[in-house]
Amino acid sequence: MLRTCLVVAVEGTHASGKTTLTHALAAHYRERGVHVACVPEPARNSPFIEEIVVHGRGEFDLETEVDLFAAQLSSQLRVARQHTMIICDKTIANVLAYAWLVLPGGPEGPHAPVLHAMETFCRAWAHVYDAVFYCCDRFDQQQAGDPYRSKVLDIQPAADRVVRSICATVGQRIYDIPPNMSTGQRVGWIAEQLTALGLDPTTR
């Protein structure tokens, strides 16, 4: 099923413009007749994250991170069933990277066996993404009416290092989007790269 669907991911840290770019890129290809859909960021719909971040009850734990990992994977599979192209708001490697950052002890802490198992799965799954584009810019993290970033406001530099490290570790090749471009310029740049890679969805 996934092999008949072009799978593109937009990677990066929080507040790097991933979600905005994901939707803009999908709109670009819809206008050109491609049957494309977005795979959303699962944390925005997670009851675990809502409890911890919005309501301030509890801390990040293993159950939360496993749920996010599974939700990202499941969303990708479900959306891909009925589309010829999907654009993912991050990869599963991103979920693992944040789990390393927020769980006690990180990859060598008490949850190490589960985190290393997730890493092994990410390595086996890396080939499913036909192209992964990395957002290098950093925008204002504090947005009115958006409480979901409150717990991770201070870890963006660390997140950038760990996301890149995890992607490299699991064999996920990424293409850095040049910084300081508008959303429209980013979309155009990605479209050019997909064509150069032989992945232009308008010709499939």
Side-chain angles (χ1 to χ4, degrees), residues 6 192-201 203-204:
L6 177 64
E192 289 175 359
Q193 305 315 303
L194 290 177
T195 298
L197 292 167
L199 298 172
D200 183 353
T203 62
R204 290 167 72 94

Side-chain angles (χ1 to χ4, degrees), residues 33-47:
V34 179
H35 189 42
V36 57
C38 296
V39 177
E41 158 67 73
R44 296 280 172 174
N45 298 308
S46 166

